Each structure stands twice: as C-alpha cells, then as structure tokens.
Amino acid sequence: MKIKVQTLEATENGDIELNDAVFGVEPRADILHRVVTWQLHNRRGTARPTRERSEVARTGKKFGRQKGGGTARHGDRRAPIFIGGGKAHGARLRDFDNSLNKKVRALGLKMALSSHAAAGTLVVLDDLKVAEAKTKVLQGAWAAMGFGKTALVIDGDAVEDGFALATRNLSYINVMPAVGANVYDILKHDTLVLTRAAVEKLEARFHG
C-alpha cells in the first residue's frame, strides 16, 4: 500500500510503501473489543482489601465471663466494635490484572492501524521538526492540513522536542513515541499521524 508523505507545511514529499501485513489487515470488532477491554482493565489499580474479624492479629481468648460482668457477652477482642478489631463489611480484594495472548494483542494493534489506513484517516509526515516551537504557529499549520477534530501523533524513538512543546497546550493533539502505540489511543482519535520513523518502528515491531 502506497501513501503520500506530507510535511508540516502541507506540501507533499514523495511516497512511502506501507507493509500490508501491518497496515492492510481486515479489522474485526471482536478482536479490537477484547484488546481495548484488556487494556482498560489493566489501567485500573487493584482494590485493596481491609482486614476483617478473622484476619486481624489480636488474641482469641475470651476476655470476660459469660454472665454477671455487666457488659455484653463478647468472645474476643477481634470484634469490630473494639479498637484494633476487624472491619465489619470491609472492602474485598478486586484484581483487574487480566491476561491476553500476545498474538491477539499484536493482531489488535495491526487492525487498529489498518482501520485508519482503510478509512483514509492515516497521515504520514516526513518528520516533526518545527522552525519555531510556538503553539500559535503550529496551530495555524495544523488547521491548514485539514485533519479531524482529534489527532494522535506517533514519532520514532522519541517525540521531537519542539513539536512536543508546541502541542502541549493543544487538547486535540496527543503525541507519543512508537513504543507507546496502543489500540485504545489509536481508535479514539479521528486522525492517526505517523512519521517515517514511526512507520519503520511499527513495522519492525512485528517483523523485526
């Protein structure tokens, strides 16, 4: 699959050949759903449990006589009404660390990239070098290119410093290095913008 390469000045700079094994896979909703669900579950932290009556480290010895003491008939000091006792109806352990086969995760990422390529919302830039790292300057250039409402920009090993600085205050542009490419972020943006370096990194990720 061939796609035109653009520059930040909205001019064309040749073509690039995209690997069909990465950018030409037929998307499947069930695979994408599984990967997104796995990814969002793993973002959640483990719900920490509280110690209940059977789990606190206190004596189990009966501390008073059953009758005649003038107080309630408690069996031990682990009861929730005592200081240091167990929590009544406390939070239970909830672990959201789900597993998913690596091949399914890799396939989901290929399908996410391919979905943008098939929809025509995949843009390849030569690089992200800006003459002036100013938000206002980049904002005007970005509007001239006519991208969608939101865009995810993926660079090579690291995002170019000037571009990252210029987009820091633009809520509709998110940037990340190629190593951080993931299905959820790719699918939730209207436009996917890759640099030449990002294309090389992503293709090497699957066919290194």
Side-chain angles (χ1 to χ4, degrees), residues 2-148:
K2 275 192 176 182
I3 187 171
K4 294 187 179 299
V5 179
Q6 302 182 34
T7 66
L8 286 174
E9 289 75 28
T11 59
E12 294 184 3
N13 190 19
D15 298 331
I16 187 172
E17 185 73 29
L18 299 180
N19 192 333
D20 287 337
V22 178
F23 294 93
V25 180
E26 184 69 27
R28 282 176 48 186
D30 60 324
I31 296 293
L32 293 173
H33 179 268
R34 287 180 64 189
V35 178
V36 170
T37 302
W38 165 81
Q39 187 176 338
L40 294 180
H41 276 186
N42 285 350
R43 285 186 178 185
R44 300 181 66 176
T46 301
R48 296 176 61 186
T50 54
R51 290 184 297 175
E52 297 190 343
R53 184 169 181 165
S54 63
E55 298 168 327
V56 293
R58 300 206 73 186
T59 178
K61 179 182 177 182
K62 186 176 177 67
F63 64 91
R65 48 195 296 192
Q66 180 74 2
K67 292 186 177 182
T71 59
R73 297 172 292 229
H74 294 293
D76 58 55
R77 289 284 184 179
R78 298 193 188 103
I81 67 169
F82 293 122
I83 295 175
K87 176 72 175 177
H89 312 295
R92 300 300 179 90
L93 174 65
R94 298 179 67 198
D95 194 355
F96 303 100
D97 188 15
N98 297 332
S99 62
L100 186 64
N101 192 293
K102 287 183 179 179
K103 291 184 179 180
V104 177
R105 284 184 266 165
L107 182 59
L109 183 55
K110 291 178 184 177
M111 289 180 175
L113 295 169
S114 300
S115 64
H116 277 284
T121 54
L122 173 64
V123 178
V124 178
L125 295 179
D126 195 26
D127 55 50
L128 298 179
K129 293 180 180 178
V130 290
E132 191 177 5
K134 296 289 186 181
T135 300
K136 188 174 182 180
V137 175
L138 181 63
Q139 198 170 12
W142 201 261
M145 286 188 279
F147 293 158

Side-chain angles (χ1 to χ4, degrees), residues 142-160:
W142 201 261
M145 286 188 279
F147 293 158
K149 291 183 179 179
T150 60
L152 175 65
V153 182
I154 301 178
D155 204 355
D157 289 326
V159 180
E160 203 274 330

